Amino acid sequence: LTSWNDSAVEVRPGLVHELVAERARLCPGAVAVSYEGRVLSYADLDAWANRLARVLRARGVGVGSLVGVCVGRSERLPVVLLAVLKAGGGYVPLDPEYPADRLAFMLADSGAGLLLVEDEFTVRLSELAGFGGEVFVVDGDGGGDVGVESGAALEVGVVPGDVAYVIYTSGSTGRPKGVLVEHGNVVNLLEGTRERFGFGSDDVWSLFHSYAFDFSVWELWGALVSGGRVVVVPRALTRSPEGLWALLVDEGVTVLNQTPSMFAQVARAAVDSGGVGLARLEWVIFGGEALEAVHVREWFTAVGS
């Protein structure tokens, strides 16, 4: 009752995108994002997001605005989400794999007036009945005239109480509900745990979960505000325990975030491989479901630590 709950720490007020920008100033050449051999340094990530943020501002995005984001898994995903924050808005993640009626509901319910989408998913727009807002394609270096914009940061007047993103519940007990999460909430989580876990610039995080699932907030921004590298897991490997295991080994992942159901499959893949090659892994962090002891035992049997 005492030791487990004695977890209060002093957390400085801050904004998600400003903490990432601080890392870009401190370690501009360090790798921030990697995906299938392609990498973005912190300087590249920050500048690209700043350019896109200026385009979004020109389209009316500001403090309190909500922006729908429908993009796939690549190194571009963190750029787009970061750009929305830098423009002052909050992002509404719309996983392109979701059913069309759910995407249409989330867009309408959130009131997002702008939708950022990659060209490969524009065909889905015809299925999103009722959306009357602007659509902006973010292919290439961001789409449109992003490349000619300044890479310097904007001053937009965001405060910790402003919305950073909206995550929708599953709707398993009724209609899905959009939860507005403020910058201050995210920063409290990330800053309050960074010192306790000892996260730092040497860490490599896996972005395994859908960015429309709240676990992704921890995976993505946890890596970037601590100066680490986030590995965007390809879609195919999120459905392949053996492929995911190989990725963890090849990329030297140190922070693995999993739901227990997927971890059970990864643990079996670890057993089948003999647990070889995962020397750098330091943390496996769970959420979303109950963790079965049998799968933990399988893991320790295979990996040893």
Side-chain angles (χ1 to χ4, degrees), residues 15-226:
L15 306 171
V16 177
H17 56 281
E18 288 187 349
L19 294 179
V20 178
E22 180 180 5
R23 288 295 170 179
R25 290 191 294 271
L26 293 173
C27 50
V31 176
V33 183
S34 62
Y35 174 76
E36 294 193 324
R38 301 193 296 271
V39 300
L40 286 176
S41 69
Y42 271 89
D44 292 337
L45 170 66
D46 194 58
W48 187 357
N50 284 336
R51 291 195 297 270
L52 179 54
R54 290 178 180 276
V55 172
L56 299 183
R57 288 287 287 181
R59 283 164 170 75
V61 177
V63 177
S65 299
L66 293 179
V67 179
V69 177
C70 186
V71 299
R73 290 173 174 267
S74 74
E75 73 281 7
R76 186 184 295 120
L77 173 59
V79 175
V80 176
L81 299 181
L82 186 59
V84 174
L85 300 182
K86 284 174 171 285
Y91 61 87
V92 182
L94 302 165
D95 191 320
E97 295 187 30
Y98 279 7
D101 58 349
R102 180 177 174 88
L103 294 178
F105 169 79
M106 291 162 66
L107 267 177
D109 186 68
S110 67
L114 177 66
L115 174 61
L116 305 182
V117 63
E118 289 175 317
D119 187 62
E120 64 180 296
F121 301 121
T122 54
V123 67
R124 299 218 60 192
L125 298 182
S126 61
E127 305 174 41
L128 305 184
F131 180 65
E134 182 181 0
V135 176
F136 184 73
V137 179
V138 292
D139 287 350
D141 71 348
D145 52 359
V146 172
V148 302
E149 294 288 345
S150 169
L154 288 162
E155 294 291 336
V156 294
V158 178
V159 298
D162 289 322
V163 63
Y165 63 87
V166 178
I167 288 284
Y168 273 78
T169 62
S170 66
S172 57
T173 58
R175 298 178 68 189
K177 303 170 186 66
V179 181
L180 288 83
V181 182
E182 303 169 355
H183 280 267
N185 299 132
V186 185
V187 172
N188 281 344
L189 169 67
L190 301 180
E191 292 289 275
T193 54
R194 182 169 60 178
E195 183 175 348
R196 183 173 292 271
F197 282 80
F199 298 138
S201 58
D202 292 333
D203 281 311
V204 180
W205 298 56
S206 58
L207 177 55
F208 173 87
H209 297 91
S210 166
Y211 70 109
F213 179 37
D214 56 3
F215 215 155
S216 68
V217 175
W218 165 265
E219 293 178 296
L220 175 60
W221 304 121
L224 295 179
V225 304
S226 59

